[in-house]
Amino acid sequence: MRKTLLTVMAALLLTACQETLEEKAAKEAEIYTKKNCPARIADNLTMDSLTYEQQTRTLHYYYTITGAADSVGLLNPETARSALLTELKNTTSMMAYKEAGFAFAYTYHSQRHRGTVLYETVFKAKDYNQ
């Protein structure tokens, strides 16, 4: 009887500890943001946060552009999209999310003109699986 009870308790504990990929994404995004953001990525680029948007299953990266690069129209949308897509395709740390068909969004804000979005794009599975 005691052995059966211990086995049932162990099984319940193991199943209770499992989280969905969506729950993991939300938790990891929150932890990453708290521990690492803001993070200077390059001379004119700071990562502000990473969020998980449950409704659309999207990992959303937010950046601020500063200095000489902080100008409306300076970013070439086609070049930026191509570079981001190449980086996403080559990033192995996102493999589980890519295999599950998550979307990845990138938003670049101006520091000089608060609230101004300089560039924004979203990649869906059909984009990065080509």
Side-chain angles (χ1 to χ4, degrees):
M1 177 71 161
R2 187 173 183 204
K3 188 175 181 180
T4 304
L5 183 59
L6 288 174
T7 303
V8 170
M9 291 297 284
L12 287 174
L13 285 174
L14 288 175
T15 57
C17 293
Q18 293 179 2
E19 61 186 354
T20 65
L21 189 58
E22 287 79 7
E23 292 167 335
K24 181 180 176 183
K27 186 166 90 176
E28 286 182 353
E30 182 180 352
I31 290 170
Y32 183 87
T33 297
K34 285 180 180 177
K35 284 186 177 182
N36 300 303
C37 294
R40 182 159 222 122
I41 305 300
D43 288 339
N44 298 324
L45 186 62
T46 301
M47 182 175 177
D48 300 317
S49 65
L50 169 61
T51 63
Y52 175 67
E53 298 163 2
Q54 186 175 4
Q55 310 87 305
T56 58
R57 296 182 72 215
T58 301
L59 284 167
H60 200 143
Y61 296 84
Y62 292 91
Y63 297 92
T64 296
I65 297 177
T66 61
D70 186 359
S71 179
V72 175
L74 188 63
L75 276 174
N76 179 321
E78 291 173 19
T79 303
R81 184 169 170 82
S82 177
L84 286 169
L85 182 57
T86 298
E87 183 178 331
L88 178 60
K89 285 180 176 182
N90 294 330
T91 301
T92 58
S93 63
M94 294 294 154
M95 189 63 70
Y97 300 120
K98 291 189 287 189
E99 288 174 351
F102 279 47
F104 298 86
Y106 301 86
T107 301
Y108 293 82
H109 289 99
S110 168
Q111 181 185 41
R112 188 177 318 150
H113 306 285
R114 296 242 178 239
T116 301
V117 174
L118 297 175
Y119 180 72
E120 191 165 39
T121 192
V122 177
F123 297 108
K124 299 191 178 202
K126 63 181 172 80
D127 299 315
Y128 58 78
N129 284 327
Q130 290 180 345

